[in-house]
Amino acid sequence: MLTLKKLKRDGFEIFIQGRETRVKIEVILEKVSVIGLKINDFPYQIFDEKGKIIMRGWDWETFKVKRRFYVIRHLGKAPSDISIHNSLRFIFALELPWLGGFLLHSSSAVYRESAVCFSGKSGAGKTTILKISRQLKGLDDDMNVVLYDREVLLYPFPYRYGVIKGFPLKYIFLLRKGKNYVREVPYEVAMTEILSCMPFVHTSTSLLKKSMEVLENILEKIKVYELYFLTNGGWEEKILTLFENQ
Amino acid sequence: MEVGKKKYSPFLKINKFVVWRRYNDKGIIVHTRKAEMFIVNDTGIRIIELINKKKELREIVNILCMEYSGKKESIKKSVENFINNMRRKGVIDG
């Protein structure tokens, strides 16, 4: 289970509790009157200030104080939703590899209590595929948490306070546009494409190394396919066939 | 090593912001600062491995001549091209 819990004082906690994983990440909100350098990119920019990685928006900034402890500084009365969502992505991306998982820019769906993930760059069809799906139940169309806890689990990204259930992840599909078919991809292609869809892992070499290690472990347990699909249907049967034949 | 008019040091080094891995006969090279990633073939990742073992260009060519079939001149040219390409991408210093 993945839980996002609001604290009585300003802040929230992230609990990840599985068979072997039991982790708490604390995030404190701090109202300040001044934020560092102005950013050039909306909605945020990543800074490396003397080895300290900072995510900074127009009126907020998020940084790691120590392992599993973060601060979100904000100018207004309360931080905006966009600052919270982006900070959460940043925190998950930095913490998950050390817990045996990663954050993946992808959409996800469930079929018979098992999850599948659709990965690809913007425009690849992550949202479209969920919209046109008839038999798969959509979970999240943008961001997902993949975590190894005796089995590979997928959690949709926690946008709200509450408890989120994880589903066993069976397949990752790399989306391609074309006539409906699936095919297994070479290992190095799976590695590079999935790595390129993990946000913020390039912010430090140690984080990237760890993320590669985690991905290698996860790729031993689940299969990665290229899914060529047309929006007028026919692709879903290819996925269901994989489930039937597993 | 000399390419055009520019002279390079024979001592090669992998950039400190680069992470690389071998997967069977392919390799993945990632430049964290540039957020760029490359897949290279068996020879490419072998060159990276040898640079990591602090081998000079001359030694790399000699080792590859023993490991792969081909004329020494041709192997040397391929190694130089690869190294120059990786220099331009910021993967190799020196």
Side-chain angles (χ1 to χ4, degrees):
Chain A
M1 282 190 308
L2 197 157
T3 312
L4 198 60
K5 185 187 168 195
K6 200 173 194 316
L7 293 174
K8 280 183 184 168
R9 57 195 169 116
D10 280 347
F12 53 89
E13 284 174 341
I14 303 159
F15 288 104
I16 302 171
Q17 192 174 346
R19 290 179 190 159
E20 288 175 349
T21 315
R22 193 184 166 87
V23 173
K24 181 177 86 173
I25 302 166
E26 199 174 351
V27 186
I28 297 297
L29 306 179
E30 202 176 274
K31 189 180 177 311
V32 291
S33 52
V34 182
I35 294 285
L37 291 168
K38 285 206 168 177
I39 61 159
N40 299 317
D41 295 330
F42 182 79
Y44 59 76
Q45 216 173 324
I46 301 290
F47 293 88
D48 182 345
E49 294 182 356
K50 294 175 186 170
K52 183 170 154 184
I53 310 294
I54 299 175
M55 176 186 247
R56 189 170 288 145
W58 293 104
D59 58 355
W60 58 276
E61 64 181 13
T62 301
F63 57 92
K64 183 179 183 174
V65 177
K66 61 180 181 184
R67 199 169 168 217
R68 298 178 194 167
F69 185 72
Y70 290 78
V71 170
I72 301 174
R73 284 185 175 151
H74 58 97
L75 290 179
K77 200 175 175 183
S80 58
D81 283 350
I82 198 167
S83 69
I84 297 287
H85 288 164
N86 285 313
S87 298
L88 266 176
R89 290 176 182 204
F90 180 65
I91 293 164
F92 274 112
L94 265 57
E95 291 293 329
L96 284 171
W98 309 101
L99 305 172
F102 52 82
L103 188 64
L104 188 63
H105 186 209
S106 58
S107 60
S108 57
V110 171
Y111 178 72
R112 291 181 185 167
E113 289 298 303
S114 293
V116 294
C117 211
F118 302 102
S119 188
K121 298 219 164 67
S122 296
K126 295 188 290 293
T127 306
T128 308
I129 206 150
L130 292 193
K131 281 183 183 166
I132 61 175
S133 169
R134 290 176 190 164
Q135 300 189 65
L136 304 174
K137 189 186 163 204
L139 280 175
D140 194 308
D141 71 348
D142 187 48
M143 203 61 78
N144 292 280
V145 170
V146 176
L147 193 63
Y148 180 69
D149 187 24
R150 281 203 223 164
E151 61 180 336
V152 183
L153 295 169
L154 179 135
Y155 297 89
F157 191 80
Y159 292 99
R160 294 176 201 87
Y161 293 115
V163 180
I164 291 170
K165 185 188 165 191
F167 296 89
L169 177 63
K170 295 292 176 201
Y171 307 111
I172 294 179
F173 294 101
L174 308 175
L175 294 178
R176 313 273 192 252
K177 282 175 183 147
K179 202 174 175 183
N180 301 317
Y181 72 100
V182 287
R183 71 172 177 198
E184 223 171 311
V185 290
Y187 190 81
E188 67 278 4
V189 174
M191 280 295 296
T192 49
E193 291 213 21
I194 295 171
L195 267 178
S196 67
C197 291
M198 290 186 197
F200 311 119
V201 290
H202 301 95
T203 52
S204 89
T205 47
S206 60
L207 182 67
L208 180 68
K209 279 181 186 169
K210 189 67 193 171
S211 302
M212 288 174 96
E213 204 179 284
V214 167
L215 183 55
E216 284 163 14
N217 178 42
I218 285 177
L219 290 186
E220 282 174 17
K221 291 157 184 79
I222 60 162
K223 285 191 171 174
V224 180
Y225 292 92
E226 282 178 318
L227 171 65
Y228 287 79
F229 75 104
L230 295 171
T231 50
N232 56 4
W235 55 272
E236 230 169 352
E237 288 69 23
K238 308 288 177 191
I239 294 179
L240 301 189
T241 307
L242 292 176
F243 273 98
E244 302 303 331
N245 295 339
Q246 70 178 332
Chain B
M1 179 166 54
E2 193 171 328
V3 178
K5 286 181 181 176
K6 195 168 181 180
K7 284 185 179 176
Y8 291 105
S9 156
F11 301 103
L12 304 161
K13 202 178 143 197
I14 295 166
N15 186 280
K16 66 174 179 177
F17 295 113
V18 167
V19 176
W20 59 274
R21 288 282 174 98
R22 171 186 278 277
Y23 298 110
N24 302 320
D25 62 346
K26 294 274 174 19
I28 293 177
I29 302 171
V30 189
H31 197 301
T32 55
R33 284 299 151 113
K34 295 185 170 186
E36 286 177 342
M37 195 156 21
F38 319 101
I39 297 179
V40 294
N41 62 15
D42 185 43
T43 322
I45 203 66
R46 183 73 182 122
I47 295 170
I48 295 291
E49 284 169 347
L50 293 169
I51 293 172
N52 193 49
K53 287 180 180 167
K54 303 190 189 326
K55 301 289 182 196
E56 289 179 28
L57 175 69
R58 183 178 43 81
E59 295 173 292
I60 294 172
V61 173
N62 288 338
I63 292 169
L64 292 183
C65 282
M66 288 190 284
E67 293 178 354
Y68 298 89
S69 58
K71 288 182 180 172
K72 189 171 181 179
E73 269 314 298
S74 154
I75 289 177
K76 188 181 176 206
K77 200 174 175 188
S78 301
V79 173
E80 284 178 351
N81 284 342
F82 177 81
I83 288 173
N84 287 326
N85 193 10
M86 288 294 122
R87 273 198 181 106
R88 280 194 292 276
K89 293 179 191 303
V91 171
I92 295 174
D93 300 330

